[in-house]
PDB file of all heavy atoms in Angstrom:
ATOM      1  N   ARG A 414     -31.844-110.117 -70.587  1.00  0.00           N
ATOM      2  CA  ARG A 414     -31.123-110.964 -69.657  1.00  0.00           C
ATOM      3  C   ARG A 414     -29.788-110.303 -69.251  1.00  0.00           C
ATOM      4  O   ARG A 414     -29.377-110.367 -68.089  1.00  0.00           O
ATOM      5  CB  ARG A 414     -30.837-112.360 -70.247  1.00  0.00           C
ATOM      6  CG  ARG A 414     -32.113-113.151 -70.505  1.00  0.00           C
ATOM      7  CD  ARG A 414     -31.856-114.639 -70.674  1.00  0.00           C
ATOM      8  NE  ARG A 414     -30.873-114.948 -71.746  1.00  0.00           N
ATOM      9  CZ  ARG A 414     -31.199-115.047 -73.042  1.00  0.00           C
ATOM     10  NH1 ARG A 414     -32.465-114.827 -73.417  1.00  0.00           N
ATOM     11  NH2 ARG A 414     -30.269-115.303 -73.934  1.00  0.00           N
ATOM     12  N   HIS A 415     -29.153-109.632 -70.213  1.00  0.00           N
ATOM     13  CA  HIS A 415     -27.924-108.932 -69.941  1.00  0.00           C
ATOM     14  C   HIS A 415     -28.154-107.873 -68.882  1.00  0.00           C
ATOM     15  O   HIS A 415     -27.384-107.756 -67.901  1.00  0.00           O
ATOM     16  CB  HIS A 415     -27.382-108.331 -71.249  1.00  0.00           C
ATOM     17  CG  HIS A 415     -26.073-107.640 -71.143  1.00  0.00           C
ATOM     18  ND1 HIS A 415     -25.964-106.364 -70.620  1.00  0.00           N
ATOM     19  CD2 HIS A 415     -24.800-108.044 -71.446  1.00  0.00           C
ATOM     20  CE1 HIS A 415     -24.695-105.976 -70.577  1.00  0.00           C
ATOM     21  NE2 HIS A 415     -23.963-106.990 -71.102  1.00  0.00           N
ATOM     22  N   GLN A 416     -29.188-107.032 -69.095  1.00  0.00           N
ATOM     23  CA  GLN A 416     -29.514-105.942 -68.164  1.00  0.00           C
ATOM     24  C   GLN A 416     -29.814-106.511 -66.760  1.00  0.00           C
ATOM     25  O   GLN A 416     -29.384-105.962 -65.732  1.00  0.00           O
ATOM     26  CB  GLN A 416     -30.637-105.132 -68.686  1.00  0.00           C
ATOM     27  CG  GLN A 416     -30.337-104.367 -69.958  1.00  0.00           C
ATOM     28  CD  GLN A 416     -31.608-103.712 -70.513  1.00  0.00           C
ATOM     29  OE1 GLN A 416     -32.755-104.086 -70.177  1.00  0.00           O
ATOM     30  NE2 GLN A 416     -31.389-102.768 -71.413  1.00  0.00           N
ATOM     31  N   THR A 417     -30.577-107.580 -66.720  1.00  0.00           N
ATOM     32  CA  THR A 417     -31.048-108.147 -65.468  1.00  0.00           C
ATOM     33  C   THR A 417     -29.895-108.774 -64.670  1.00  0.00           C
ATOM     34  O   THR A 417     -29.747-108.542 -63.471  1.00  0.00           O
ATOM     35  CB  THR A 417     -32.122-109.248 -65.721  1.00  0.00           C
ATOM     36  OG1 THR A 417     -33.230-108.597 -66.457  1.00  0.00           O
ATOM     37  CG2 THR A 417     -32.654-109.805 -64.430  1.00  0.00           C
ATOM     38  N   LEU A 418     -29.064-109.550 -65.381  1.00  0.00           N
ATOM     39  CA  LEU A 418     -27.925-110.167 -64.699  1.00  0.00           C
ATOM     40  C   LEU A 418     -26.987-109.069 -64.150  1.00  0.00           C
ATOM     41  O   LEU A 418     -26.480-109.193 -63.025  1.00  0.00           O
ATOM     42  CB  LEU A 418     -27.177-111.074 -65.669  1.00  0.00           C
ATOM     43  CG  LEU A 418     -27.888-112.399 -66.028  1.00  0.00           C
ATOM     44  CD1 LEU A 418     -27.269-113.008 -67.285  1.00  0.00           C
ATOM     45  CD2 LEU A 418     -27.814-113.337 -64.840  1.00  0.00           C
ATOM     46  N   LYS A 419     -26.727-108.081 -64.984  1.00  0.00           N
ATOM     47  CA  LYS A 419     -25.799-106.982 -64.510  1.00  0.00           C
ATOM     48  C   LYS A 419     -26.403-106.280 -63.303  1.00  0.00           C
ATOM     49  O   LYS A 419     -25.626-105.977 -62.345  1.00  0.00           O
ATOM     50  CB  LYS A 419     -25.627-106.027 -65.711  1.00  0.00           C
ATOM     51  CG  LYS A 419     -24.627-104.930 -65.412  1.00  0.00           C
ATOM     52  CD  LYS A 419     -24.416-104.021 -66.631  1.00  0.00           C
ATOM     53  CE  LYS A 419     -23.372-102.948 -66.372  1.00  0.00           C
ATOM     54  NZ  LYS A 419     -23.200-102.104 -67.584  1.00  0.00           N
ATOM     55  N   HIS A 420     -27.687-106.077 -63.283  1.00  0.00           N
ATOM     56  CA  HIS A 420     -28.345-105.416 -62.165  1.00  0.00           C
ATOM     57  C   HIS A 420     -28.202-106.216 -60.893  1.00  0.00           C
ATOM     58  O   HIS A 420     -27.776-105.727 -59.827  1.00  0.00           O
ATOM     59  CB  HIS A 420     -29.827-105.132 -62.488  1.00  0.00           C
ATOM     60  CG  HIS A 420     -30.600-104.727 -61.282  1.00  0.00           C
ATOM     61  ND1 HIS A 420     -30.550-103.444 -60.735  1.00  0.00           N
ATOM     62  CD2 HIS A 420     -31.496-105.403 -60.504  1.00  0.00           C
ATOM     63  CE1 HIS A 420     -31.365-103.347 -59.725  1.00  0.00           C
ATOM     64  NE2 HIS A 420     -31.941-104.539 -59.562  1.00  0.00           N
ATOM     65  N   TYR A 421     -28.551-107.520 -60.955  1.00  0.00           N
ATOM     66  CA  TYR A 421     -28.509-108.331 -59.738  1.00  0.00           C
ATOM     67  C   TYR A 421     -27.070-108.599 -59.249  1.00  0.00           C
ATOM     68  O   TYR A 421     -26.825-108.665 -58.049  1.00  0.00           O
ATOM     69  CB  TYR A 421     -29.219-109.695 -59.965  1.00  0.00           C
ATOM     70  CG  TYR A 421     -30.713-109.591 -59.955  1.00  0.00           C
ATOM     71  CD1 TYR A 421     -31.488-109.963 -61.036  1.00  0.00           C
ATOM     72  CD2 TYR A 421     -31.355-109.059 -58.843  1.00  0.00           C
ATOM     73  CE1 TYR A 421     -32.871-109.824 -60.991  1.00  0.00           C
ATOM     74  CE2 TYR A 421     -32.708-108.943 -58.798  1.00  0.00           C
ATOM     75  CZ  TYR A 421     -33.475-109.280 -59.880  1.00  0.00           C
ATOM     76  OH  TYR A 421     -34.873-109.199 -59.881  1.00  0.00           O
ATOM     77  N   ILE A 422     -26.111-108.676 -60.168  1.00  0.00           N
ATOM     78  CA  ILE A 422     -24.723-108.840 -59.789  1.00  0.00           C
ATOM     79  C   ILE A 422     -24.234-107.629 -59.028  1.00  0.00           C
ATOM     80  O   ILE A 422     -23.527-107.735 -58.022  1.00  0.00           O
ATOM     81  CB  ILE A 422     -23.854-109.115 -61.027  1.00  0.00           C
ATOM     82  CG1 ILE A 422     -24.117-110.570 -61.522  1.00  0.00           C
ATOM     83  CG2 ILE A 422     -22.345-108.974 -60.702  1.00  0.00           C
ATOM     84  CD1 ILE A 422     -23.475-110.895 -62.859  1.00  0.00           C
ATOM     85  N   GLN A 423     -24.609-106.437 -59.495  1.00  0.00           N
ATOM     86  CA  GLN A 423     -24.189-105.190 -58.837  1.00  0.00           C
ATOM     87  C   GLN A 423     -24.883-105.017 -57.502  1.00  0.00           C
ATOM     88  O   GLN A 423     -24.233-104.618 -56.530  1.00  0.00           O
ATOM     89  CB  GLN A 423     -24.500-104.023 -59.740  1.00  0.00           C
ATOM     90  CG  GLN A 423     -23.631-103.883 -60.958  1.00  0.00           C
ATOM     91  CD  GLN A 423     -23.977-102.743 -61.873  1.00  0.00           C
ATOM     92  OE1 GLN A 423     -25.079-102.239 -61.779  1.00  0.00           O
ATOM     93  NE2 GLN A 423     -23.082-102.346 -62.751  1.00  0.00           N
ATOM     94  N   VAL A 424     -26.211-105.359 -57.419  1.00  0.00           N
ATOM     95  CA  VAL A 424     -26.940-105.124 -56.186  1.00  0.00           C
ATOM     96  C   VAL A 424     -26.638-106.164 -55.119  1.00  0.00           C
ATOM     97  O   VAL A 424     -26.440-105.850 -53.942  1.00  0.00           O
ATOM     98  CB  VAL A 424     -28.484-105.111 -56.475  1.00  0.00           C
ATOM     99  CG1 VAL A 424     -29.278-105.110 -55.201  1.00  0.00           C
ATOM    100  CG2 VAL A 424     -28.803-103.904 -57.344  1.00  0.00           C
ATOM    101  N   SER A 425     -26.580-107.445 -55.539  1.00  0.00           N
ATOM    102  CA  SER A 425     -26.435-108.543 -54.532  1.00  0.00           C
ATOM    103  C   SER A 425     -24.971-108.922 -54.284  1.00  0.00           C
ATOM    104  O   SER A 425     -24.632-109.263 -53.160  1.00  0.00           O
ATOM    105  CB  SER A 425     -27.183-109.773 -55.005  1.00  0.00           C
ATOM    106  OG  SER A 425     -28.604-109.512 -55.044  1.00  0.00           O
ATOM    107  N   LEU A 426     -24.135-108.868 -55.315  1.00  0.00           N
ATOM    108  CA  LEU A 426     -22.751-109.296 -55.139  1.00  0.00           C
ATOM    109  C   LEU A 426     -21.828-108.091 -55.011  1.00  0.00           C
ATOM    110  O   LEU A 426     -20.637-108.268 -54.661  1.00  0.00           O
ATOM    111  CB  LEU A 426     -22.310-110.100 -56.377  1.00  0.00           C
ATOM    112  CG  LEU A 426     -23.158-111.362 -56.688  1.00  0.00           C
ATOM    113  CD1 LEU A 426     -22.600-112.118 -57.875  1.00  0.00           C
ATOM    114  CD2 LEU A 426     -23.292-112.249 -55.469  1.00  0.00           C
TER     115      LEU A 426
END
Side-chain angles (χ1 to χ4, degrees):
R414 295 199 303 278
H415 182 281
Q416 294 172 343
T417 303
L418 287 165
K419 185 176 181 179
H420 168 74
Y421 283 122
I422 288 171
Q423 289 177 343
V424 171
S425 296
L426 305 182

